[in-house]
Amino acid sequence: MGAAAADLEARQLRILARVADLELAAQQRRLGALSIAAAPPSEDGAGATEARLSALLAARGVRDFAFRRVPADYYDRPLEERRGLLRADSVAQLCKSIVMVNTQAAADVVDCSNPKNSKYYVVVVQYMARLNAENIKNFLYELNEKQIPKKRFNMRLAPEEESHKLTGFVHNAVTCIGMETDIPVIIDEAITKLDEDFFWLGGGEVDLKLGMRTSQFLSAFSPFVVKCS
C-alpha cells in the first residue's frame, strides 16, 4: 500500500470513529433527557416506589430506564397524547401489565411456584394491540410438552382485587417489576421487535410510568416471549 493510500485509509478510520462517537453522545443525551422525569418526593411518600424500582432494576443490570410523572387525567387522553407526555417515539411503545389467571388449572395448581404451569401470569402487551388469550393457552400447552391437557389452560383477566393482592399495585399502576408475588412474566413478541428497543409501562403508581431498554429487560428478567396479540 502506498503512502497516499495509507493516509487516506487513516483519515477514513478517523472519520468513522468520530461518527461513532457522535452517535453514542446523541444516544446518551436522549437517555439523559428521559431520566429527568421524576417529580420530587412529596410528603405523602411519593418517590419511594420509584426509588425501590430503580434499585431493583439497577441490581438486575438494567442501566437504561426512566420514570415519568403524568397528569391525573392521563388515562382519559388518547394514545397519541399519552405518547407525547412520555416523549415516546411512537404509541407502539406504550404498554400495560395485565395479571391473568388460569381458571381451569388443576386443583393442586394454586400459586406461581412453577413458571411453566402457574396459576397466574403477568402479560405485558401494547395498548394498541388486542390480546389473544388463545395464543397464550397454546404456548403454555407446548411449554409443558403437551403433557397437560389443553383444556387445563384457560387464561382470563384476574379480578382487580386479586391483581392488587398479588402485585401490590392498584389498577392502572400495575408493573411487572417489583411485584409482591413472583409471578411469571410473558411479554408480547411484538414489543421485542420494536425498532426503538424501548418500551413504557406502569411504574407502580397511577401517575408514574416506567420506560426501559427492551433488550436489557429481556436479559435481566428472562420473561417468556410469546406472540400473544
Side-chain angles (χ1 to χ4, degrees):
M1 180 184 294
D7 182 60
L8 177 61
E9 182 179 11
R11 279 186 290 169
Q12 289 175 333
L13 289 173
R14 287 196 297 271
I15 291 171
L16 288 173
R18 179 56 179 162
V19 169
D21 289 341
L22 290 171
E23 289 177 346
L24 179 61
Q27 183 182 50
Q28 290 174 337
R29 284 196 299 273
R30 184 179 177 189
L31 289 172
L34 285 170
S35 303
I36 62 174
S42 61
E43 295 180 358
D44 63 3
T49 299
E50 181 179 338
R52 182 174 72 85
L53 297 185
S54 294
L56 192 157
L57 289 167
R60 291 291 192 102
V62 179
R63 303 179 308 279
D64 301 334
F65 63 90
F67 289 90
R68 285 225 184 280
R69 290 284 175 188
V70 296
D73 65 347
Y74 177 81
Y75 286 103
D76 296 326
R77 303 191 185 200
L79 288 178
E80 181 56 35
E81 286 191 26
R82 297 187 209 176
R83 181 207 63 76
L85 289 168
L86 296 176
R87 302 178 203 170
D89 293 304
S90 72
V91 295
Q93 292 176 285
L94 277 55
C95 305
K96 55 186 173 181
S97 302
I98 303 172
V99 179
M100 302 195 76
V101 56
N102 183 1
T103 62
Q104 295 299 319
D108 60 341
V109 179
V110 296
D111 56 24
C112 304
S113 57
N114 181 2
K116 291 186 176 181
N117 186 25
S118 177
K119 179 71 173 179
Y120 302 93
Y121 289 89
V122 171
V123 181
V124 181
V125 65
Q126 295 161 299
Y127 271 99
M128 60 180 283
R130 183 174 182 177
L131 182 66
N132 188 327
E134 193 68 19
N135 284 1
I136 299 175
K137 172 181 178 177
N138 292 335
F139 167 77
L140 294 173
Y141 178 61
E142 295 290 340
L143 183 65
N144 286 278
E145 301 178 345
K146 303 180 181 180
Q147 297 301 304
I148 300 174
K150 187 176 284 191
K151 66 180 181 181
R152 284 298 184 184
F153 299 106
N154 186 53
M155 305 308 299
R156 292 291 180 264
L157 186 67
E160 190 173 322
E161 301 78 15
E162 208 166 352
S163 173
H164 186 190
K165 181 179 179 181
L166 289 165
T167 65
F169 304 123
V170 299
H171 181 60
N172 285 338
V174 177
T175 182
C176 58
I177 309 297
M179 297 179 289
E180 290 285 344
T181 308
D182 189 15
I183 310 174
V185 177
I186 294 173
I187 186 170
D188 190 3
E189 182 183 68
I191 300 171
T192 69
K193 293 183 175 180
L194 293 174
D195 291 337
E196 297 85 0
D197 191 31
F198 204 92
F199 71 108
W200 289 89
L201 69 168
E205 298 175 15
V206 176
D207 67 342
L208 184 64
K209 305 306 163 193
L210 166 63
M212 73 189 89
R213 185 74 63 198
T214 313
S215 53
Q216 293 177 16
F217 169 77
L218 295 175
S219 297
F221 296 96
S222 301
F224 295 117
V225 179
V226 181
K227 186 177 181 180
C228 49
S229 66

